[in-house]
């Protein structure tokens, strides 16, 4: 919220509206100890999250993985000792997604500003995540391996009238 406030203040008060602008906003909301904004605390308390099937240690899990990947499971990067705690990933996800809700709010606030200023059709907005999060896939929790869940990250670009609509890759 605070970083978004800074950006909106700059857009509204400091930017020269007669010139093009570039703004870069990087949220840290869901890194490590995710803490939801007060308005999002408890948002997912009633939600039951399911972990990927690959969280289980099976013969298939043990086959073909280098030792360093297996060893990560027992480090703070692994599901069994995530972030050096004994907290269940399914409980952590309630705060993780609650914290992510503030990022959703931020994107909405910025887009609303662009609409209110009448510049949404001449402004390109690119939303890009810095990584995927494994959430227990392969027994890991974060982003330090080249598994699909870690390397396939969301990227959304909006430039009304300037980009083809509905294109996904």
């Amino acid at each position: 919220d605070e970083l978004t406030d800074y950006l909106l203040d700059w857009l509204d008060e400091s930017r020269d509206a007669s010139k093009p602008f570039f703004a870069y906003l990087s949220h840290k909301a869901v890194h490590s100890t995710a803490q939801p904004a007060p308005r999002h605390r408890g948002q997912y308390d009633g939600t039951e999250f399911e972990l990927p099937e690959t969280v289980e240690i099976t013969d298939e899990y043990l086959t073909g993985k280098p030792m360093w990947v297996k060893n990560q499971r027992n480090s703070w990067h692994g599901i069994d000792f995530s972030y050096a705690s004994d907290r269940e990933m399914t409980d952590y996800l309630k705060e993780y997604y609650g914290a992510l809700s503030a990022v959703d709010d931020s994107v909405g606030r910025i887009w609303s500003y662009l609409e209110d200023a009448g510049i949404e059709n001449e402004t390109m907005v690119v939303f890009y995540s810095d990584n995927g999060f494994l959430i227990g896939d392969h027994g890991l929790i974060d982003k330090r391996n080249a598994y699909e869940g870690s390397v396939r990250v969301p990227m959304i670009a909006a430039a009304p009238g300037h980009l083809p609509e509905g294109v996904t890759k």
Side-chain angles (χ1 to χ4, degrees):
D1 292 341
E2 186 175 351
L3 296 174
T4 301
D5 290 345
Y6 287 138
L7 173 60
L8 293 174
D9 287 347
W10 177 81
L11 285 169
D12 197 43
E13 298 169 12
S14 302
R15 162 181 83 87
D16 181 344
S18 68
K19 295 180 180 177
F21 69 92
F22 174 86
Y24 175 88
L25 177 60
S26 180
H27 290 286
K28 298 294 280 180
V30 293
H31 287 77
S32 296
T33 50
Q35 295 182 0
R39 68 186 175 282
H40 296 299
R41 286 191 188 129
Q43 179 181 10
Y44 291 99
D45 282 354
T47 304
E48 294 294 324
F49 292 101
E50 290 186 30
L51 298 178
E53 288 181 16
T54 58
V55 75
E56 300 298 327
I57 299 176
T58 62
D59 288 340
E60 183 180 358
Y61 171 84
L62 295 171
T63 302
K65 286 189 175 47
M67 186 56 70
W68 69 269
V69 172
K70 294 176 190 176
N71 287 342
Q72 278 199 319
R73 185 177 184 119
N74 297 315
S75 76
W76 77 285
H77 303 293
I79 191 79
D80 301 320
F81 195 57
S82 59
Y83 298 121
S85 78
D86 58 0
R87 188 167 188 207
E88 295 291 324
M89 178 57 66
T90 51
D91 291 334
Y92 173 76
L93 289 175
K94 293 175 182 184
E95 290 184 359
Y96 178 86
Y97 288 121
L100 192 55
S101 291
V103 177
D104 290 342
D105 292 348
S106 172
V107 173
R109 289 175 59 207
I110 294 165
W111 192 259
S112 291
Y113 174 88
L114 298 174
E115 288 178 326
D116 292 347
I119 59 173
E120 76 278 9
N121 289 326
E122 58 192 62
T123 304
M124 175 182 256
V125 175
V126 178
F127 176 88
Y128 192 78
S129 180
D130 70 334
N131 61 267
F133 191 72
L134 291 172
I135 308 175
D137 197 15
H138 303 282
L140 305 171
I141 63 162
D142 57 14
K143 59 187 177 184
R144 290 169 173 82
N145 289 289
Y147 288 116
E148 289 289 315
S150 187
V151 298
R152 292 207 177 260
V153 297
M155 178 185 150
I156 301 168
H162 302 283
L163 295 175
E165 292 185 26
V167 175
T168 60
K169 300 246 178 200

